[in-house]
Amino acid sequence: MKALNQLKTFQRILGEYPAETPLSKFLPGFYRQNKQMGSTDRRVANRLVYNYFRLGKALWNTPTEDRLMVAEFLCNTQVNSFLQHFKPDWAACINFTIEEKIALVLKTYPAFKLADIFPWADQLSAGIDKTAFLQSFFVQPDLFIHVQNGYDHLVKAELSKAEIVFKDEGNGCLALPNGTRLEALFPNQHWFEVQDHSSQQTANFFKPQKWDAWWDACAASGGKSLLLHELEPNIKLVVSDIRESILANLDERFRAAGLLKYQRKTLDLTQNVDQTLHDYEFDGIILDAPCSGSGTWGRTPEMIAQFEPQKMEFFQRLQKTIAANVIKFLKPGKPLIYITCSAFKAENEAVVDYLVKECGMKLEEVKVLKGYEYKADTMFVTRLSPPAP
C-alpha cells in the first residue's frame, strides 16, 4: 500500500509540474500545499521525481510508470521498498554494476539506449568521456564546500561530531553527501562557502599578483571573486552583473566572508560599456559567462527534457558579444579567465577559437573540468590574453 501511495504522489507531482520551472523551486511549494506529507514522504517523492528526470530522453515513448521503474533501478545502489514492491527481480540485482543493470533493462526494454539520456553527446567538448558522462546522470552529485583558510580543523571537527562522512579533496574542498543540512550544523558562522568542486578548481587559472586590479564581469553571487580574494587579499576588485537583485546577494555574501573593499556595478555587457568603464584598465578579468548550464544537469536533470539544441547557438552569440566587450579593458598581456558550466563545445572551444582568431587573443591554458570523475559539475576554463606590447 505504501509503495502504491508513493507512486500516486509521484504521478500527482509530475502532473502538476510546470515545464521551465526548476524542481528545486516547484517541490517546496507542492509540499507546503500538502502538509500531510511527512519528512520521509517528501524524501521518497524527491528521489522518485529526480530519478525519473535522470533518465533524460531515454525510453521517451514508454509509459511514465515504466520509465520510473527503470530510473529507480539504474539510479539506486541500495534496496528500497518501492522497487521491491514493483520490480522485485530488479531489486534483487540493485548492487550490480551499471553495465550489468543496463543489460537487464535491455531484456525488458530493447529500445533503451544510453545515448538517449543526453542526446547531444556528439556535441560535447573534446576530452569528455561520453560513456562516463552519460552514466554520471544516474548518480546524484555530492555537496561541496570551500573552507576558508584557518577554519579547516573546526569544520572537520563539527562534521565528525555529527557523524557526517566527508572526503577531503584538497585545497579547502570537502565533499559531503548531497542533502547534508549544513545550516543546522553551522548556524550563524561563516567558515565556508557552498561551491562545487569544479568551480573551486577554476581558481588555479587566476594567478593574481599583489595590488592587481581585477574585474569579475558576470559576478552573480560572487563565488569566483571570493576565491580570487583568498588567493590575493590585496587586489583592487570590481564586480558587475546585469541583475541588481543578485548583486545584493553578493553584498551579503561578501560581508559574511569579510570582503569589504570592492566596487560593484550593474552592467549589461551585451551593450557598449565604455562610458561607465572608460577610465578602467584591469590586470585580470574573470568572465564566468552565461551558458546552457549543461555541465550541471546532474543536479538539475529536469533541464534535459526542457533543452532545445538551438539554445547552444543563442548562448554562443551571447558569449562572443560579452567577451568582445570586456577584453578591451584588459592591460596588454594580462589574462581573461573564460569559464562556463557547459559541456558543449559550441559554448567552449568554439568561443575560444573566436577570441583567438577574430579578437587577437593568445591562448595560454585550457581545461575541461570533468566533474563526472568527482560526482561534481563539468565545467570549462581557459586563460587567454591580448598581445603584450
Short mmCIF file of all heavy atoms in Angstrom, two decimals, residues 189-227:
data_model
loop_
_atom_site.label_atom_id
_atom_site.label_comp_id
_atom_site.label_asym_id
_atom_site.label_seq_id
_atom_site.Cartn_x
_atom_site.Cartn_y
_atom_site.Cartn_z
N GLN A 189 27.58 31.12 11.37
CA GLN A 189 29.04 31.20 11.21
C GLN A 189 29.37 31.20 9.73
O GLN A 189 28.53 30.84 8.89
CB GLN A 189 29.75 30.07 11.96
CG GLN A 189 29.46 28.67 11.44
CD GLN A 189 30.12 28.37 10.13
OE1 GLN A 189 31.23 28.82 9.90
NE2 GLN A 189 29.44 27.67 9.26
N HIS A 190 30.59 31.60 9.42
CA HIS A 190 30.96 31.79 8.02
C HIS A 190 32.34 31.20 7.76
O HIS A 190 33.24 31.87 7.28
CB HIS A 190 30.93 33.29 7.67
CG HIS A 190 29.65 33.94 8.07
ND1 HIS A 190 28.45 33.70 7.43
CD2 HIS A 190 29.36 34.79 9.10
CE1 HIS A 190 27.50 34.40 8.01
NE2 HIS A 190 28.01 35.06 9.02
N TRP A 191 32.45 29.91 8.09
CA TRP A 191 33.73 29.23 7.92
C TRP A 191 33.94 28.70 6.52
O TRP A 191 35.04 28.31 6.16
CB TRP A 191 33.84 28.06 8.92
CG TRP A 191 33.80 28.48 10.34
CD1 TRP A 191 34.03 29.73 10.85
CD2 TRP A 191 33.51 27.64 11.48
NE1 TRP A 191 33.90 29.72 12.22
CE2 TRP A 191 33.59 28.45 12.63
CE3 TRP A 191 33.22 26.29 11.62
CZ2 TRP A 191 33.37 27.95 13.92
CZ3 TRP A 191 33.00 25.77 12.89
CH2 TRP A 191 33.09 26.59 14.03
N PHE A 192 32.88 28.63 5.73
CA PHE A 192 32.99 28.01 4.41
C PHE A 192 31.93 28.58 3.48
O PHE A 192 30.98 29.24 3.91
CB PHE A 192 32.83 26.48 4.50
CG PHE A 192 31.52 26.06 5.09
CD1 PHE A 192 30.37 25.98 4.30
CD2 PHE A 192 31.40 25.77 6.45
CE1 PHE A 192 29.15 25.62 4.84
CE2 PHE A 192 30.18 25.40 7.00
CZ PHE A 192 29.05 25.33 6.19
N GLU A 193 32.09 28.29 2.18
CA GLU A 193 31.09 28.62 1.16
C GLU A 193 30.69 27.32 0.47
O GLU A 193 31.54 26.45 0.23
CB GLU A 193 31.68 29.57 0.10
CG GLU A 193 32.04 30.94 0.61
CD GLU A 193 30.84 31.80 0.88
OE1 GLU A 193 29.80 31.59 0.22
OE2 GLU A 193 30.93 32.69 1.74
N VAL A 194 29.40 27.18 0.17
CA VAL A 194 28.97 26.06 -0.66
C VAL A 194 29.38 26.38 -2.09
O VAL A 194 29.01 27.40 -2.65
CB VAL A 194 27.45 25.86 -0.58
CG1 VAL A 194 26.99 24.78 -1.56
CG2 VAL A 194 27.04 25.49 0.85
N GLN A 195 30.21 25.51 -2.66
CA GLN A 195 30.74 25.75 -4.01
C GLN A 195 31.19 24.43 -4.62
O GLN A 195 31.92 23.66 -3.99
CB GLN A 195 31.91 26.74 -3.95
CG GLN A 195 32.35 27.28 -5.30
CD GLN A 195 33.33 28.45 -5.15
OE1 GLN A 195 34.12 28.49 -4.23
NE2 GLN A 195 33.26 29.39 -6.07
N ASP A 196 30.77 24.18 -5.85
CA ASP A 196 31.08 22.91 -6.49
C ASP A 196 32.58 22.69 -6.63
O ASP A 196 33.37 23.65 -6.74
CB ASP A 196 30.41 22.86 -7.88
CG ASP A 196 30.63 21.53 -8.56
OD1 ASP A 196 29.95 20.56 -8.19
OD2 ASP A 196 31.51 21.45 -9.44
N HIS A 197 32.97 21.43 -6.66
CA HIS A 197 34.38 21.05 -6.79
C HIS A 197 35.02 21.69 -8.02
O HIS A 197 36.10 22.30 -7.94
CB HIS A 197 34.48 19.52 -6.87
CG HIS A 197 35.87 19.01 -7.06
ND1 HIS A 197 36.44 18.86 -8.30
CD2 HIS A 197 36.82 18.61 -6.17
CE1 HIS A 197 37.67 18.38 -8.18
NE2 HIS A 197 37.92 18.22 -6.89
N SER A 198 34.35 21.58 -9.18
CA SER A 198 34.94 22.12 -10.41
C SER A 198 35.04 23.63 -10.35
O SER A 198 36.03 24.23 -10.83
CB SER A 198 34.10 21.70 -11.62
OG SER A 198 34.13 20.29 -11.79
N SER A 199 34.04 24.27 -9.78
CA SER A 199 34.07 25.73 -9.64
C SER A 199 35.28 26.17 -8.82
O SER A 199 35.95 27.16 -9.15
CB SER A 199 32.78 26.22 -8.99
OG SER A 199 32.73 27.62 -8.95
N GLN A 200 35.58 25.41 -7.78
CA GLN A 200 36.75 25.74 -6.96
C GLN A 200 38.05 25.58 -7.74
O GLN A 200 39.01 26.33 -7.54
CB GLN A 200 36.78 24.86 -5.71
CG GLN A 200 35.62 25.12 -4.75
CD GLN A 200 35.70 24.27 -3.50
OE1 GLN A 200 36.77 24.16 -2.88
NE2 GLN A 200 34.58 23.67 -3.09
N GLN A 201 38.09 24.62 -8.66
CA GLN A 201 39.32 24.36 -9.43
C GLN A 201 39.65 25.49 -10.41
O GLN A 201 40.79 25.64 -10.83
CB GLN A 201 39.21 23.04 -10.19
CG GLN A 201 38.94 21.82 -9.34
CD GLN A 201 39.81 21.73 -8.11
OE1 GLN A 201 41.03 21.73 -8.20
NE2 GLN A 201 39.18 21.70 -6.94
N THR A 202 38.65 26.28 -10.78
CA THR A 202 38.92 27.38 -11.73
C THR A 202 39.92 28.37 -11.15
O THR A 202 40.61 29.06 -11.90
CB THR A 202 37.63 28.12 -12.11
OG1 THR A 202 37.05 28.73 -10.95
CG2 THR A 202 36.62 27.18 -12.75
N ALA A 203 40.02 28.44 -9.83
CA ALA A 203 40.94 29.39 -9.18
C ALA A 203 42.40 29.12 -9.55
O ALA A 203 43.24 30.03 -9.48
CB ALA A 203 40.77 29.35 -7.67
N ASN A 204 42.72 27.89 -9.97
CA ASN A 204 44.09 27.57 -10.36
C ASN A 204 44.54 28.36 -11.59
O ASN A 204 45.73 28.44 -11.87
CB ASN A 204 44.21 26.07 -10.65
CG ASN A 204 43.95 25.21 -9.42
OD1 ASN A 204 44.24 25.61 -8.30
ND2 ASN A 204 43.40 24.02 -9.63
N PHE A 205 43.58 28.94 -12.31
CA PHE A 205 43.90 29.69 -13.52
C PHE A 205 44.04 31.19 -13.26
O PHE A 205 44.47 31.92 -14.15
CB PHE A 205 42.81 29.47 -14.58
CG PHE A 205 42.86 28.13 -15.24
CD1 PHE A 205 42.59 26.96 -14.54
CD2 PHE A 205 43.20 28.01 -16.59
CE1 PHE A 205 42.65 25.72 -15.15
CE2 PHE A 205 43.25 26.77 -17.20
CZ PHE A 205 42.98 25.63 -16.49
N PHE A 206 43.71 31.67 -12.05
CA PHE A 206 43.67 33.11 -11.80
C PHE A 206 45.07 33.73 -11.71
O PHE A 206 45.39 34.68 -12.43
CB PHE A 206 42.89 33.42 -10.52
CG PHE A 206 41.44 33.03 -10.55
CD1 PHE A 206 40.66 33.08 -9.40
CD2 PHE A 206 40.82 32.61 -11.72
CE1 PHE A 206 39.32 32.73 -9.41
CE2 PHE A 206 39.48 32.24 -11.76
CZ PHE A 206 38.73 32.31 -10.58
N LYS A 207 45.88 33.25 -10.77
CA LYS A 207 47.27 33.69 -10.57
C LYS A 207 47.39 35.21 -10.40
O LYS A 207 48.15 35.87 -11.12
CB LYS A 207 48.14 33.22 -11.74
CG LYS A 207 48.07 31.71 -11.99
CD LYS A 207 48.76 31.30 -13.27
CE LYS A 207 48.52 29.84 -13.58
NZ LYS A 207 49.08 29.42 -14.89
N PRO A 208 46.65 35.79 -9.45
CA PRO A 208 46.73 37.24 -9.25
C PRO A 208 48.03 37.66 -8.56
O PRO A 208 48.65 36.85 -7.86
CB PRO A 208 45.52 37.52 -8.35
CG PRO A 208 45.38 36.25 -7.55
CD PRO A 208 45.75 35.14 -8.51
N GLN A 209 48.42 38.91 -8.77
CA GLN A 209 49.57 39.49 -8.11
C GLN A 209 49.10 40.57 -7.12
O GLN A 209 48.01 41.13 -7.27
CB GLN A 209 50.52 40.12 -9.13
CG GLN A 209 51.04 39.15 -10.19
CD GLN A 209 51.87 38.03 -9.61
OE1 GLN A 209 52.76 38.27 -8.80
NE2 GLN A 209 51.58 36.79 -10.01
N LYS A 210 49.94 40.85 -6.13
CA LYS A 210 49.59 41.85 -5.12
C LYS A 210 49.33 43.20 -5.77
O LYS A 210 50.07 43.63 -6.66
CB LYS A 210 50.73 41.96 -4.11
CG LYS A 210 50.35 42.67 -2.82
CD LYS A 210 51.47 42.56 -1.80
CE LYS A 210 51.04 43.18 -0.47
NZ LYS A 210 52.10 43.04 0.56
N TRP A 211 48.25 43.84 -5.33
CA TRP A 211 47.80 45.16 -5.79
C TRP A 211 47.25 45.16 -7.22
O TRP A 211 46.98 46.20 -7.80
CB TRP A 211 48.91 46.22 -5.68
CG TRP A 211 49.60 46.25 -4.35
CD1 TRP A 211 50.93 46.06 -4.12
CD2 TRP A 211 48.99 46.47 -3.07
NE1 TRP A 211 51.20 46.14 -2.77
CE2 TRP A 211 50.03 46.39 -2.10
CE3 TRP A 211 47.68 46.70 -2.63
CZ2 TRP A 211 49.79 46.54 -0.74
CZ3 TRP A 211 47.45 46.85 -1.28
CH2 TRP A 211 48.49 46.78 -0.35
N ASP A 212 47.05 43.99 -7.80
CA ASP A 212 46.40 43.92 -9.12
C ASP A 212 44.99 44.51 -9.07
O ASP A 212 44.32 44.48 -8.03
CB ASP A 212 46.27 42.45 -9.56
CG ASP A 212 47.46 41.94 -10.35
OD1 ASP A 212 48.37 42.75 -10.61
OD2 ASP A 212 47.47 40.75 -10.71
N ALA A 213 44.54 44.97 -10.23
CA ALA A 213 43.14 45.37 -10.41
C ALA A 213 42.43 44.29 -11.23
O ALA A 213 42.84 43.99 -12.36
CB ALA A 213 43.07 46.72 -11.12
N TRP A 214 41.39 43.68 -10.65
CA TRP A 214 40.65 42.61 -11.32
C TRP A 214 39.17 42.97 -11.42
O TRP A 214 38.62 43.68 -10.58
CB TRP A 214 40.79 41.28 -10.54
CG TRP A 214 42.07 40.55 -10.86
CD1 TRP A 214 43.33 40.92 -10.51
CD2 TRP A 214 42.19 39.31 -11.56
NE1 TRP A 214 44.24 40.01 -10.97
CE2 TRP A 214 43.58 39.00 -11.62
CE3 TRP A 214 41.29 38.45 -12.14
CZ2 TRP A 214 44.06 37.85 -12.24
CZ3 TRP A 214 41.76 37.30 -12.76
CH2 TRP A 214 43.14 37.01 -12.81
N TRP A 215 38.56 42.41 -12.45
CA TRP A 215 37.13 42.62 -12.70
C TRP A 215 36.45 41.25 -12.84
O TRP A 215 36.83 40.47 -13.71
CB TRP A 215 36.95 43.44 -13.98
CG TRP A 215 35.52 43.69 -14.41
CD1 TRP A 215 34.39 43.62 -13.66
CD2 TRP A 215 35.10 44.03 -15.74
NE1 TRP A 215 33.28 43.92 -14.42
CE2 TRP A 215 33.69 44.18 -15.70
CE3 TRP A 215 35.77 44.24 -16.96
CZ2 TRP A 215 32.95 44.50 -16.84
CZ3 TRP A 215 35.02 44.57 -18.08
CH2 TRP A 215 33.62 44.71 -18.02
N ASP A 216 35.50 40.99 -11.96
CA ASP A 216 34.64 39.81 -12.09
C ASP A 216 33.40 40.28 -12.85
O ASP A 216 32.49 40.89 -12.28
CB ASP A 216 34.28 39.26 -10.71
CG ASP A 216 33.59 37.90 -10.77
OD1 ASP A 216 33.23 37.48 -11.89
OD2 ASP A 216 33.40 37.28 -9.71
N ALA A 217 33.37 40.01 -14.16
CA ALA A 217 32.44 40.71 -15.05
C ALA A 217 31.00 40.20 -14.96
O ALA A 217 30.06 40.98 -15.08
CB ALA A 217 32.94 40.60 -16.50
N CYS A 218 30.82 38.91 -14.79
CA CYS A 218 29.47 38.33 -14.61
C CYS A 218 29.49 37.66 -13.25
O CYS A 218 29.47 36.43 -13.13
CB CYS A 218 29.15 37.34 -15.72
SG CYS A 218 29.04 38.08 -17.36
N ALA A 219 29.51 38.47 -12.21
CA ALA A 219 29.88 38.00 -10.87
C ALA A 219 28.83 37.13 -10.21
O ALA A 219 29.15 36.32 -9.34
CB ALA A 219 30.20 39.20 -9.98
N ALA A 220 27.55 37.29 -10.59
CA ALA A 220 26.46 36.57 -9.91
C ALA A 220 26.59 36.78 -8.40
O ALA A 220 26.72 37.91 -7.95
CB ALA A 220 26.45 35.11 -10.31
N SER A 221 26.61 35.70 -7.62
CA SER A 221 26.69 35.88 -6.16
C SER A 221 28.13 35.93 -5.64
O SER A 221 28.35 35.91 -4.43
CB SER A 221 25.92 34.77 -5.45
OG SER A 221 26.40 33.50 -5.85
N GLY A 222 29.10 35.98 -6.56
CA GLY A 222 30.47 36.32 -6.16
C GLY A 222 31.38 35.17 -5.78
O GLY A 222 32.44 35.41 -5.20
N GLY A 223 31.03 33.95 -6.12
CA GLY A 223 31.86 32.81 -5.73
C GLY A 223 33.28 32.87 -6.26
O GLY A 223 34.25 32.58 -5.53
N LYS A 224 33.45 33.25 -7.53
CA LYS A 224 34.80 33.32 -8.11
C LYS A 224 35.60 34.46 -7.48
O LYS A 224 36.81 34.35 -7.26
CB LYS A 224 34.72 33.52 -9.62
CG LYS A 224 33.90 32.46 -10.37
CD LYS A 224 34.45 31.08 -10.23
CE LYS A 224 33.73 30.06 -11.12
NZ LYS A 224 32.29 29.97 -10.87
N SER A 225 34.93 35.58 -7.18
CA SER A 225 35.62 36.70 -6.52
C SER A 225 36.15 36.31 -5.15
O SER A 225 37.24 36.73 -4.75
CB SER A 225 34.67 37.89 -6.38
OG SER A 225 34.42 38.52 -7.61
N LEU A 226 35.39 35.50 -4.43
CA LEU A 226 35.84 35.05 -3.12
C LEU A 226 37.09 34.17 -3.23
O LEU A 226 38.01 34.27 -2.42
CB LEU A 226 34.72 34.30 -2.40
CG LEU A 226 33.54 35.17 -1.94
CD1 LEU A 226 32.41 34.30 -1.40
CD2 LEU A 226 33.98 36.17 -0.88
N LEU A 227 37.13 33.32 -4.25
CA LEU A 227 38.33 32.51 -4.49
C LEU A 227 39.51 33.40 -4.83
O LEU A 227 40.63 33.18 -4.36
CB LEU A 227 38.07 31.52 -5.63
CG LEU A 227 37.05 30.41 -5.39
CD1 LEU A 227 36.78 29.63 -6.67
CD2 LEU A 227 37.51 29.46 -4.29
#
